[in-house]
Amino acid sequence: MPAHRVIIDTDPGVDDVLAILLALASKHDELEVLLLSVTYGNIAIELCLRNIVSLFHVIDRELQWRREQGLPEGFASLRTFRPIVAVGPEKPLSDQLMMADYFHGPDGLGGIHSSHPHFTPEETWKRLFKPPPMEVRPTDLFEPSLVPAHQEILRLLRDNEADSITIVAIGPLTNIALAASEDPETFLRVKELVFMGGTISEPGNITPVSEFNICADAVAAARVFALTSPRPETMLPPTPPPSVEHPDLQHLPDYPSHLSRTLNLTLFTLDITTRHVLTREAFTTKMTSLMEQGSPLAAWVWAFVSSTFNKIASLHEGSDDFSLHDPICIWYLLTHSHPSWQPSPLPSSTDENNHGGTKNDVLEDIRIESSGQWTRGQCILDRRSRRRGQPTTSSSEDDTTDVAMEGDTQGWLDPMKGNRIRRMVGSPGEEILAEILLETIFVDTPPK
């Protein structure tokens, strides 16, 4: 049994693909990818799905090449466990559709489907996800699903023991919010939700204050974060006004007032992910010899990562680093017990501000702005040194009386309100992730 069984919810752009490759190339006793649930995000949903199918298409060719070269095949997890691929929604719950193709390229991978079309599978792949099922598939490395992604998430959580599956979300949280809304109790069987999104002190990457994954569907993010609260119904975002563009849009219902447990959510914001970088020099050094030897995977990855380096240089003068935002979430699982993983410190020296966590496991009340004109997707964290209220005592288990704190109209000081987020701020080493990523995905030089 692998140490971690995971669902990866993704909008596969450049760093998403690197994260997925890291997961699939891990050892079979480290990690099993049960499901890749695909969502819109960096690009439109069909382009995201094409990138996932292309990834498996290239891995298939890479495995054949390695066998021919007498090399270790690698990708032990993928060769042991065949993941499901399921398709999610085309748009956010209520916000205007936002994409990051300006950074990831028109196809999410730096235009690779135009510049390197030989790495793109035949268009027949589209039939994989429409009935009736195809008799002959372009690859057997994954199992296509005809069920919506959020329902596949719920099926896996329902069919497996509670606390046996981790969800790694590296795109907008629309799939996750849909699953949580449809069946909150089944969704809360998840062991941990590891999410790359948001920012606290680092500038945003899509607006001055917002990170893309949260900003792309702030309502979904706010709804998912609310499940970490002891009273999730109090943390739901306001119902958006009727949409002129989508007049038939149905908003998700409120959560039940009593749920059996809260969501265990670990957050990787830009504050930590931006510091874990892949340099152009290290990337070039590793990839050059592999491409000369004929590695299909090396050539594919070189094309879209090189394009990303060029894009970064055009946006940020003098920058030659590519932040590994999404791969850090997979690395966290692979090294989960390492003592250097550090959650955020207390906002003050008093234990009163710790929302239910211990001194070594701090839970922060991070809330999502879902309706601001200029602040959509902003993560709000109360940094004041105000004393928090104390829980009331009552003989009734159903007593949820609010604690009245002077001037606290939004419940920031109420111990029964607010979210409970574990935000990571330290890792086993900012300089070693890139090396581990490349060494895990790619094999050594062929024998002489």
Side-chain angles (χ1 to χ4, degrees):
M1 177 71 71
H4 298 280
R5 306 175 73 221
V6 305
I7 294 168
I8 301 179
D9 191 67
T10 176
D11 59 335
V14 176
D15 53 333
D16 298 70
V17 167
L18 294 178
I20 295 167
L21 285 170
L22 177 61
L24 297 176
S26 63
K27 298 176 182 177
H28 65 84
D29 59 350
E30 291 178 324
L31 191 147
E32 174 188 359
V33 179
L34 294 164
L35 168 67
L36 292 170
S37 55
V38 184
T39 182
Y40 72 92
N42 289 316
I43 46 175
I45 184 67
E46 186 170 292
L47 299 179
C48 287
L49 190 57
R50 179 172 65 172
N51 288 345
I52 287 290
V53 176
S54 296
L55 178 148
F56 285 105
H57 177 68
V58 173
I59 292 176
D60 218 352
R61 293 175 57 178
E62 176 74 7
L63 293 176
Q64 180 180 352
W65 175 78
R66 292 181 184 183
R67 289 191 291 268
E68 292 172 351
Q69 299 297 316
L71 288 168
E73 290 185 58
F75 288 96
S77 176
L78 177 59
R79 290 187 294 110
T80 306
F81 311 106
R82 186 169 67 166
I84 299 167
V85 174
V87 188
E90 298 178 356
K91 58 183 183 293
L93 295 182
S94 63
D95 297 320
Q96 180 182 359
L97 183 63
M98 174 186 297
M99 293 189 292
D101 51 353
Y102 78 95
F103 180 82
H104 291 270
D107 58 8
L109 294 177
I112 194 169
H113 296 287
S114 298
S115 62
H116 296 70
H118 54 290
F119 287 130
T120 304
E122 297 292 334
E123 287 292 297
T124 53
W125 68 264
K126 296 179 182 179
R127 293 168 47 201
L128 289 171
F129 302 92
K130 298 177 182 179
M134 291 179 63
E135 294 184 4
V136 180
R137 299 176 181 176
T139 176
D140 291 325
L141 292 180
F142 70 91
E143 181 67 32
S145 172
L146 302 181
V147 177
H150 74 280
Q151 293 181 356
E152 280 287 9
I153 292 172
L154 290 173
R155 182 188 65 81
L156 288 168
L157 292 173
R158 189 180 297 116
D159 292 350
N160 290 273
E161 293 184 9
D163 297 318
S164 65
I165 294 176
T166 297
I167 297 177
V168 179
I170 51 179
L173 288 176
T174 314
N175 271 330
I176 309 303
L178 289 171
S181 175
E182 183 166 315
D183 190 342
E185 288 292 355
T186 294
F187 177 75
L188 289 173
R189 291 167 63 87
V190 69
K191 179 180 180 181
E192 182 178 11
L193 172 62
V194 180
F195 175 44
M196 187 279 125
T199 184
I200 301 297
S201 300
E202 188 76 13
N205 62 2
I206 192 67
T207 76
V209 296
S210 302
E211 179 275 333
F212 176 79
N213 285 344
I214 288 183
C215 194
D217 196 344
V219 170
R223 289 185 61 93
V224 173
F225 277 37
L227 287 171
T228 68
S229 172
R231 294 181 59 188
E233 73 277 7
T234 67
M235 299 309 299
L236 288 171
T239 301
S243 172
V244 176
E245 185 178 354
H246 303 289
D248 58 340
L249 186 67
Q250 298 294 315
H251 298 299
L252 300 183
D254 291 351
Y255 294 128
S257 57
H258 296 282
L259 292 170
S260 62
R261 60 194 294 186
T262 57
L263 176 64
N264 176 22
L265 196 159
T266 300
L267 182 64
F268 285 84
T269 65
L270 295 180
D271 305 270
I272 183 173
T273 64
T274 302
R275 304 196 306 265
H276 292 73
V277 300
L278 172 64
T279 66
R280 188 191 291 264
E281 180 182 5
F283 179 68
T284 302
T285 299
K286 179 66 178 180
M287 305 301 288
T288 300
S289 62
L290 287 170
M291 289 191 297
E292 290 175 349
Q293 295 155 19
S295 163
L297 181 61
W300 187 62
V301 172
W302 171 269
F304 64 77
V305 173
S306 296
S307 174
T308 303
F309 277 122
N310 295 336
K311 172 58 69 173
I312 292 171
S314 71
L315 295 173
H316 307 281
E317 185 176 355
S319 176
D320 207 24
D321 296 337
F322 170 42
S323 293
L324 299 170
H325 300 295
D326 295 338
I328 193 174
C329 294
I330 302 299
W331 186 40
Y332 165 70
L333 289 184
L334 295 175
T335 57
H336 197 274
S337 61
H338 199 289
S340 294
W341 286 112
Q342 178 62 48
S344 56
L346 291 172
S348 75
S349 60
T350 63
D351 288 345
E352 295 174 356
N353 290 314
N354 182 3
H355 293 256
T358 66
K359 288 184 178 181
N360 295 321
D361 186 19
V362 179
L363 304 179
E364 295 179 320
D365 181 6
I366 299 175
R367 306 186 189 185
I368 305 299
E369 176 55 66
S370 62
S371 56
Q373 180 180 6
W374 310 117
T375 56
R376 166 182 160 188
Q378 183 176 10
C379 291
I380 312 297
L381 175 64
D382 189 357
R383 305 187 192 213
R384 300 173 297 174
S385 59
R386 290 282 300 275
R387 181 178 63 83
R388 295 186 56 79
Q390 298 299 316
T392 58
T393 58
S394 171
S395 59
S396 171
E397 294 182 358
D398 294 329
D399 187 358
T400 56
T401 304
D402 290 346
V403 177
M405 297 297 296
E406 185 177 0
D408 186 35
T409 58
Q410 296 181 327
W412 287 97
L413 306 176
D414 187 336
M416 291 304 295
K417 293 184 179 179
N419 297 323
R420 309 289 189 266
I421 310 294
R422 181 187 303 103
R423 177 170 63 94
M424 285 295 170
V425 296
S427 77
E430 298 170 9
E431 68 287 347
I432 63 175
L433 173 56
E435 179 181 353
I436 291 171
L437 176 77
L438 296 178
E439 291 297 327
T440 303
I441 296 173
F442 297 99
V443 295
D444 294 331
T445 305
K448 300 295 184 183

